[in-house]
Amino acid sequence: MDQFTLNWIFIGASFALYIGIAIWARAGSTSEFYAAGRGVHPVVNGMATGADWMSAASFISMAGLIAFTGYDNSTFLMGWTGGYVLLALMLAPYLRKFGKFTVSEFIGDRFYSPTARMVAVICLIVASTTYVIGQMTGVGVAFGRFLEVDNTTGLLIGACVVFAYAVFGGMKGVTYTQVAQYCVLIIAYTIPAIFISLQLTGNPIPALGLFGEHVASGESLLVKLDQIVAELGFNEYTAHHSDTLNMVLFTLSLMIGTAGLPHVIMRFFTVPTVAAARWSAGWTLVFIALLYLTAPAVGAMARLNISDMMWPNGTSSEPVSVETMEAEGRYEWMATWQKTGLLNWEDKNGDGKIAYFNDKNADKVAEMEAAGWGSENELTKFNRDILVLANPEIANLPGWVIALVAAGGLAAALSTAAGLLLAISSAVSHDLLKGQLTPNMSESGELMSARIAMAVAICVATYLGLNPPGFAAQTVALAFGLAAASIFPALMMGIFSKRINNTGAVAGMLVGLGVTLVYIFLHKGWFFIPGTNSFSDADPLLGTIKSTSFGAVGAMLNFATAFIVSNATKAPPQEIVDLVESVRVPKGAGAAVEGH
């Protein structure tokens, strides 16, 4: 059976499963649409949250960014997992005890202000829309390759599938669909990693193989990789080369952004009790760890395989010839990916070879010129988002593994897209329409408005996904920065400070969101329109702080503004002080503790 047919079978079967689950678990009430009826088991919720969390950025993009940068991009792993510890200990149980449907509803009630609720809605929509751009980017990449269609067509197909199961199923349908998607994506991620680890190190556990011995050379795999990339003029893989301040701020931004992401927090409203919310966060960490412990090995092993393919007889010999690339089966994946426009090479000096090296390194350029291989890198394009999807082909694994990875990549992107779109539709229907504009709306009317809002959000996300501001993981990092700067401080102060009032909270959120958004637009272009930026992340406005790291600074400004304004204005009323005390103390949690 040919690869294209296999891809269709695996992807089609997984989509049929998702849509079937959505029909089975169709939401019939607002409680089921927003919070799955608050009856989800912690283990099930942990698995669903893992799928909701491990997006196209985690599955498709993260290992690619680690592969081509090395240690410095381990910040993605540290920030994203650290954020769940914060969420489990400091937010999830308290928000579940409060007993509302949405993050914005909590902020509106805690800060006794419709304005605060509306500002929270704006922050949520901005962060979630930015995040969903990254997911749709991943959908386009995956469909473009495996269904052999262009990126735009791939995006449109993905949007239709999300529409089919998210609009009708709501949180109830999305929850059980995400459980299935987690199973698909974790199997799809780990099976190729196990094969490749066995090939390169003889160890079936990729995380251990990463620190094992390279079978062909007898050296440590990481020592071998360091040696090869250094010989090609790149930075050593395991060394720290980036700016430490930016690295710390980026990790912190991802961490507190994780704890402030509305679509993740919403998952903890679906469990029956406060204790279940804590257990859900713990199980989520377990399910995430299965992929996150594997990702560094995937990145390192793929980088080694790519380098070996481009220099088949070693870096001291000659680069791969065009004739070899066209004749040998193990290079077929490059020709296939070239059709998507995400991978390309060019014999610039006409010597019949494709020389892959760092042409930004003057010493390496001089060395390559002296050897007769030219002065320019001839592997002209290698989009970081393709690495995990191409990995089974790079390692020459069976066709069914390639098809499984295709289904896994789409499961990762679509599961998170559904969660984000649900957060956006809940904010519009429950917080904006029901909460402010039309408070007398019936439950059926609210359910219909939620579905219409989600449909509109899908259209906007698809349009923006056609021109993303970076690779999937980089776009997602911007969303984390926005959530970190706007929502996380408001939640933390709402739970742990009795003195923060409505004026302070609103001022803090506006300052955090506004300053961070402006900083991002100055570096990525206004409203992400190409060519409208004044700075770049290679030459940032403030010292070495890149746009993806600025969320931590925005959060500090949010905290500072809220404290200054609150202390300069009237203290919150006594009933709000009592409410904060009630949320923080287990006693009196009622249904949230007892599960009724």
Coordinates of all heavy atoms in Angstrom, one line a residue, residues 80-144:
W80 N 7.2 25.4 30.4 CA 5.9 24.8 30.2 C 5.6 23.8 31.3 O 4.5 23.7 31.8 CB 5.8 24.1 28.9 CG 5.6 25.2 27.8 CD1 5.1 26.4 28.0 CD2 5.7 25.0 26.4 NE1 5.0 27.1 26.8 CE2 5.4 26.3 25.8 CE3 6.2 24.0 25.6 CZ2 5.5 26.5 24.4 CZ3 6.2 24.2 24.2 CH2 5.9 25.4 23.6
T81 N 6.6 23.0 31.8 CA 6.3 22.0 32.9 C 6.2 22.7 34.2 O 5.4 22.4 35.1 CB 7.4 20.9 32.9 OG1 8.7 21.5 32.9 CG2 7.2 20.0 31.8
G82 N 7.1 23.7 34.4 CA 7.1 24.5 35.7 C 5.8 25.2 35.9 O 5.3 25.3 37.0
G83 N 5.2 25.6 34.8 CA 3.9 26.3 34.9 C 2.8 25.5 35.5 O 1.9 25.9 36.2
Y84 N 2.9 24.1 35.3 CA 1.8 23.3 35.8 C 2.0 23.1 37.3 O 1.0 22.8 38.0 CB 1.9 21.9 35.1 CG 0.8 21.9 34.0 CD1 1.1 22.2 32.7 CD2 -0.5 21.6 34.4 CE1 0.2 22.2 31.8 CE2 -1.5 21.6 33.4 CZ -1.1 22.0 32.1 OH -2.1 22.0 31.1
V85 N 3.2 23.2 37.8 CA 3.4 23.1 39.3 C 2.7 24.4 39.9 O 2.0 24.2 40.9 CB 4.9 23.1 39.6 CG1 5.1 23.1 41.1 CG2 5.6 21.9 39.0
L86 N 2.9 25.5 39.3 CA 2.3 26.7 39.8 C 0.8 26.6 39.8 O 0.1 26.9 40.7 CB 2.7 27.9 38.9 CG 3.9 28.7 39.2 CD1 4.1 29.9 38.2 CD2 3.8 29.3 40.6
L87 N 0.3 26.1 38.6 CA -1.2 25.9 38.5 C -1.8 25.0 39.5 O -2.8 25.3 40.1 CB -1.4 25.4 37.0 CG -2.8 25.4 36.5 CD1 -3.4 26.9 36.5 CD2 -2.8 24.9 35.1
A88 N -1.1 23.9 39.7 CA -1.6 22.8 40.7 C -1.6 23.4 42.1 O -2.6 23.1 42.9 CB -0.8 21.6 40.6
L89 N -0.6 24.1 42.5 CA -0.5 24.5 43.9 C -1.2 25.8 44.2 O -1.7 26.0 45.3 CB 1.0 24.7 44.2 CG 1.9 23.4 44.2 CD1 3.3 23.7 44.5 CD2 1.3 22.4 45.2
M90 N -1.2 26.7 43.2 CA -1.6 28.1 43.6 C -2.9 28.6 42.9 O -3.5 29.6 43.3 CB -0.5 29.1 43.2 CG 0.8 28.7 43.9 SD 2.1 29.9 43.6 CE 1.7 31.2 44.7
L91 N -3.4 27.9 41.9 CA -4.6 28.4 41.2 C -5.7 27.4 41.1 O -6.9 27.7 41.5 CB -4.2 28.9 39.8 CG -3.3 30.1 39.6 CD1 -3.1 30.5 38.2 CD2 -4.0 31.3 40.3
A92 N -5.5 26.2 40.5 CA -6.5 25.3 40.2 C -7.5 25.0 41.3 O -8.7 25.1 41.2 CB -6.0 24.0 39.6
P93 N -7.1 24.6 42.5 CA -8.0 24.3 43.6 C -8.9 25.5 44.0 O -10.1 25.3 44.3 CB -7.2 23.8 44.7 CG -5.8 24.2 44.4 CD -5.7 24.4 43.0
Y94 N -8.3 26.7 44.1 CA -9.0 27.8 44.5 C -10.1 28.3 43.5 O -11.2 28.7 43.9 CB -8.0 29.0 44.8 CG -7.0 28.6 45.8 CD1 -5.7 28.4 45.4 CD2 -7.3 28.5 47.2 CE1 -4.7 28.0 46.3 CE2 -6.3 28.1 48.1 CZ -5.0 27.9 47.6 OH -4.0 27.6 48.5
L95 N -9.7 28.2 42.2 CA -10.6 28.6 41.2 C -11.8 27.6 41.1 O -12.9 27.9 40.9 CB -9.9 28.7 39.8 CG -8.9 29.8 39.7 CD1 -8.2 29.8 38.4 CD2 -9.7 31.2 39.8
R96 N -11.5 26.3 41.3 CA -12.6 25.3 41.3 C -13.5 25.5 42.5 O -14.7 25.4 42.4 CB -12.0 23.9 41.4 CG -13.0 22.8 41.6 CD -14.0 22.7 40.4 NE -15.1 21.9 40.7 CZ -16.3 22.3 41.2 NH1 -16.5 23.6 41.6 NH2 -17.3 21.5 41.3
K97 N -13.0 25.9 43.7 CA -13.8 26.1 44.8 C -14.7 27.3 44.6 O -15.9 27.3 45.0 CB -13.0 26.4 46.1 CG -13.8 26.6 47.3 CD -13.0 26.9 48.6 CE -14.0 27.2 49.7 NZ -13.3 27.5 50.9
F98 N -14.3 28.3 43.8 CA -15.1 29.5 43.5 C -16.3 29.1 42.8 O -17.4 29.7 42.9 CB -14.3 30.5 42.8 CG -14.8 31.9 42.8 CD1 -14.7 32.7 43.9 CD2 -15.5 32.4 41.7 CE1 -15.3 33.9 44.0 CE2 -16.1 33.7 41.7 CZ -15.9 34.4 42.9
G99 N -16.2 28.1 41.9 CA -17.4 27.4 41.3 C -18.0 28.1 40.1 O -19.2 27.9 39.8
K100 N -17.2 28.9 39.4 CA -17.8 29.6 38.2 C -17.4 28.8 36.9 O -16.6 27.8 36.9 CB -17.3 31.0 38.1 CG -17.7 31.9 39.3 CD -19.2 32.0 39.4 CE -19.6 32.9 40.5 NZ -21.0 33.1 40.6
F101 N -17.9 29.3 35.8 CA -17.6 28.6 34.5 C -16.3 29.1 33.8 O -15.7 28.3 33.1 CB -18.8 28.8 33.5 CG -20.0 28.0 33.8 CD1 -21.3 28.5 33.7 CD2 -19.9 26.6 34.2 CE1 -22.4 27.7 34.0 CE2 -21.0 25.8 34.4 CZ -22.3 26.4 34.3
T102 N -16.0 30.4 34.0 CA -14.9 31.0 33.2 C -14.0 31.8 34.1 O -14.4 32.2 35.2 CB -15.5 31.9 32.1 OG1 -16.1 33.1 32.7 CG2 -16.5 31.2 31.2
V103 N -12.8 32.0 33.6 CA -11.8 32.9 34.3 C -12.3 34.3 34.4 O -12.2 34.9 35.5 CB -10.5 32.9 33.5 CG1 -9.5 33.9 34.0 CG2 -9.9 31.5 33.5
S104 N -12.9 34.8 33.3 CA -13.4 36.2 33.4 C -14.5 36.4 34.4 O -14.6 37.4 35.1 CB -14.0 36.5 32.0 OG -13.1 36.3 31.0
E105 N -15.3 35.3 34.6 CA -16.4 35.4 35.6 C -15.8 35.5 37.0 O -16.3 36.2 37.9 CB -17.3 34.1 35.5 CG -18.6 34.3 36.2 CD -19.6 33.1 35.9 OE1 -19.1 32.1 35.3 OE2 -20.7 33.2 36.3
F106 N -14.7 34.7 37.3 CA -14.0 34.8 38.6 C -13.5 36.2 38.8 O -13.7 36.8 39.9 CB -12.9 33.8 38.6 CG -12.0 34.1 39.8 CD1 -12.3 33.7 41.1 CD2 -10.8 34.7 39.6 CE1 -11.5 33.9 42.2 CE2 -9.9 35.0 40.7 CZ -10.3 34.6 42.0
I107 N -12.8 36.8 37.8 CA -12.3 38.1 37.9 C -13.3 39.2 38.1 O -13.2 40.1 38.9 CB -11.4 38.4 36.7 CG1 -10.1 37.6 36.7 CG2 -11.0 39.9 36.6 CD1 -9.2 37.7 35.5
G108 N -14.5 39.0 37.4 CA -15.6 40.0 37.5 C -16.2 40.0 38.9 O -16.4 41.0 39.5
D109 N -16.4 38.8 39.5 CA -17.0 38.6 40.8 C -16.0 39.0 41.9 O -16.3 39.7 42.9 CB -17.4 37.2 41.1 CG -18.7 36.9 40.3 OD1 -19.2 37.8 39.5 OD2 -19.3 35.8 40.4
R110 N -14.7 38.6 41.8 CA -13.7 38.9 42.8 C -13.4 40.4 42.9 O -13.3 40.9 44.0 CB -12.4 38.1 42.5 CG -11.1 38.6 43.2 CD -11.2 38.6 44.7 NE -10.1 39.2 45.3 CZ -9.9 40.5 45.6 NH1 -10.8 41.4 45.2 NH2 -8.8 40.9 46.1
F111 N -13.4 41.0 41.8 CA -13.1 42.5 41.8 C -14.4 43.3 41.6 O -14.3 44.5 41.2 CB -12.1 42.8 40.7 CG -10.7 42.1 40.9 CD1 -10.3 41.1 40.1 CD2 -9.9 42.5 42.0 CE1 -9.0 40.5 40.3 CE2 -8.7 41.9 42.2 CZ -8.3 40.9 41.4
Y112 N -15.5 42.6 41.9 CA -16.8 43.3 42.0 C -17.0 44.4 41.0 O -17.4 45.5 41.3 CB -17.1 43.8 43.5 CG -15.9 44.7 44.0 CD1 -16.1 46.1 44.0 CD2 -14.8 44.2 44.5 CE1 -15.0 46.9 44.5 CE2 -13.8 45.0 45.0 CZ -13.9 46.3 45.0 OH -12.9 47.1 45.5
S113 N -16.7 44.0 39.7 CA -16.8 45.0 38.7 C -17.0 44.4 37.3 O -16.3 43.6 36.8 CB -15.4 45.8 38.6 OG -15.3 46.5 37.5
P114 N -18.1 44.9 36.6 CA -18.3 44.5 35.2 C -17.2 44.9 34.3 O -16.9 44.2 33.4 CB -19.6 45.2 34.8 CG -20.3 45.6 36.1 CD -19.2 45.8 37.1
T115 N -16.6 46.0 34.6 CA -15.4 46.5 33.8 C -14.3 45.5 33.9 O -13.6 45.2 32.9 CB -15.0 47.9 34.3 OG1 -16.1 48.8 34.3 CG2 -13.8 48.4 33.4
A116 N -14.0 45.0 35.1 CA -12.9 44.1 35.3 C -13.2 42.8 34.5 O -12.3 42.2 33.9 CB -12.7 43.7 36.8
R117 N -14.5 42.4 34.5 CA -14.8 41.2 33.7 C -14.6 41.4 32.3 O -14.1 40.5 31.5 CB -16.3 40.8 34.0 CG -16.7 39.5 33.4 CD -18.1 39.1 33.9 NE -18.6 37.9 33.4 CZ -19.7 37.3 33.7 NH1 -20.5 37.8 34.6 NH2 -20.1 36.1 33.2
M118 N -15.0 42.6 31.8 CA -14.8 42.9 30.3 C -13.3 43.0 29.9 O -12.9 42.5 28.9 CB -15.5 44.2 30.0 CG -17.0 44.1 30.0 SD -17.7 42.8 28.9 CE -17.9 41.4 30.0
V119 N -12.5 43.6 30.8 CA -11.1 43.7 30.5 C -10.5 42.3 30.5 O -9.7 42.0 29.6 CB -10.4 44.5 31.6 CG1 -8.8 44.5 31.4 CG2 -10.8 46.0 31.5
A120 N -10.9 41.4 31.4 CA -10.5 40.0 31.4 C -10.9 39.3 30.1 O -10.1 38.5 29.6 CB -11.0 39.3 32.6
V121 N -12.1 39.6 29.6 CA -12.5 39.0 28.4 C -11.6 39.4 27.2 O -11.2 38.6 26.4 CB -14.0 39.4 28.0 CG1 -14.4 39.1 26.6 CG2 -15.0 38.7 29.0
I122 N -11.3 40.7 27.2 CA -10.4 41.2 26.1 C -9.0 40.5 26.2 O -8.5 40.1 25.2 CB -10.2 42.8 26.3 CG1 -11.6 43.4 25.9 CG2 -9.1 43.3 25.3 CD1 -11.6 44.9 26.3
C123 N -8.5 40.4 27.4 CA -7.2 39.8 27.6 C -7.2 38.3 27.2 O -6.3 37.8 26.5 CB -6.8 39.8 29.1 SG -6.4 41.5 29.7
L124 N -8.3 37.7 27.5 CA -8.5 36.2 27.2 C -8.5 36.1 25.7 O -7.9 35.2 25.1 CB -9.8 35.7 27.8 CG -10.1 34.3 27.6 CD1 -11.0 33.8 28.8 CD2 -11.0 34.0 26.4
I125 N -9.3 36.9 25.0 CA -9.5 36.8 23.5 C -8.2 37.1 22.8 O -7.8 36.4 21.9 CB -10.6 37.7 23.0 CG1 -12.0 37.2 23.5 CG2 -10.6 37.8 21.5 CD1 -13.2 38.1 23.2
V126 N -7.4 38.1 23.3 CA -6.2 38.5 22.6 C -5.2 37.3 22.8 O -4.5 36.9 21.8 CB -5.6 39.8 23.2 CG1 -4.2 40.0 22.7 CG2 -6.4 41.0 22.8
A127 N -5.0 36.8 24.0 CA -4.1 35.7 24.2 C -4.5 34.4 23.5 O -3.7 33.8 22.8 CB -3.9 35.4 25.7
S128 N -5.8 34.1 23.6 CA -6.2 32.8 23.0 C -6.2 32.9 21.4 O -5.8 31.9 20.8 CB -7.7 32.5 23.4 OG -7.7 32.3 24.8
T129 N -6.5 34.1 20.9 CA -6.4 34.2 19.4 C -5.0 34.1 18.9 O -4.7 33.4 17.9 CB -7.0 35.6 19.0 OG1 -8.4 35.6 19.4 CG2 -7.0 35.7 17.5
T130 N -4.1 34.7 19.6 CA -2.6 34.6 19.3 C -2.2 33.1 19.3 O -1.5 32.6 18.5 CB -1.8 35.4 20.2 OG1 -2.2 36.8 20.2 CG2 -0.3 35.4 19.7
Y131 N -2.6 32.4 20.4 CA -2.3 31.0 20.6 C -2.8 30.2 19.4 O -2.2 29.3 18.9 CB -2.8 30.5 21.9 CG -2.2 29.3 22.5 CD1 -2.3 29.0 23.8 CD2 -1.5 28.4 21.7 CE1 -1.8 27.8 24.4 CE2 -0.9 27.3 22.2 CZ -1.1 27.0 23.6 OH -0.5 25.8 24.1
V132 N -4.1 30.4 19.1 CA -4.7 29.5 18.1 C -4.1 29.7 16.7 O -4.1 28.8 15.9 CB -6.2 29.8 18.1 CG1 -6.7 30.9 17.2 CG2 -7.0 28.5 17.6
I133 N -3.5 30.9 16.4 CA -2.7 31.1 15.2 C -1.7 30.0 15.0 O -1.5 29.4 14.0 CB -2.1 32.5 15.1 CG1 -3.1 33.6 15.1 CG2 -1.2 32.6 13.8 CD1 -2.6 35.0 15.3
G134 N -0.9 29.7 16.1 CA 0.1 28.7 16.1 C -0.5 27.3 15.8 O 0.2 26.5 15.1
Q135 N -1.7 27.0 16.4 CA -2.2 25.7 16.1 C -2.6 25.6 14.6 O -2.4 24.5 14.0 CB -3.5 25.5 17.0 CG -3.2 25.8 18.5 CD -1.9 25.2 18.9 OE1 -1.7 24.0 18.8 NE2 -1.1 26.0 19.5
M136 N -3.2 26.6 14.1 CA -3.7 26.5 12.7 C -2.4 26.5 11.8 O -2.5 25.8 10.7 CB -4.6 27.7 12.3 CG -5.8 27.8 13.2 SD -6.7 26.3 13.4 CE -7.7 26.3 11.9
T137 N -1.3 27.1 12.2 CA -0.1 27.0 11.4 C 0.3 25.5 11.4 O 0.7 25.0 10.3 CB 1.0 27.8 12.1 OG1 0.6 29.1 12.2 CG2 2.3 27.7 11.3
G138 N 0.3 24.8 12.5 CA 0.6 23.4 12.6 C -0.3 22.6 11.8 O 0.2 21.6 11.1
V139 N -1.6 22.9 11.8 CA -2.5 22.1 11.0 C -2.2 22.2 9.5 O -2.2 21.2 8.8 CB -4.0 22.6 11.2 CG1 -4.9 22.0 10.2 CG2 -4.4 22.3 12.7
G140 N -1.9 23.4 9.1 CA -1.5 23.6 7.7 C -0.3 22.9 7.3 O -0.2 22.3 6.2
V141 N 0.7 22.9 8.1 CA 2.0 22.1 7.9 C 1.7 20.6 7.7 O 2.2 20.0 6.8 CB 3.0 22.4 9.0 CG1 4.2 21.5 8.8 CG2 3.5 23.8 9.0
A142 N 1.0 20.1 8.7 CA 0.7 18.6 8.7 C -0.1 18.2 7.5 O 0.2 17.2 6.8 CB 0.0 18.3 10.0
F143 N -1.2 18.9 7.2 CA -2.1 18.6 6.1 C -1.3 18.8 4.8 O -1.5 18.0 3.8 CB -3.3 19.4 6.1 CG -4.5 18.8 6.9 CD1 -5.0 19.5 7.9 CD2 -5.0 17.6 6.5 CE1 -6.1 18.9 8.7 CE2 -6.0 17.0 7.2 CZ -6.6 17.7 8.3
G144 N -0.6 19.9 4.7 CA 0.1 20.1 3.4 C 1.0 19.0 3.0 O 1.1 18.7 1.8

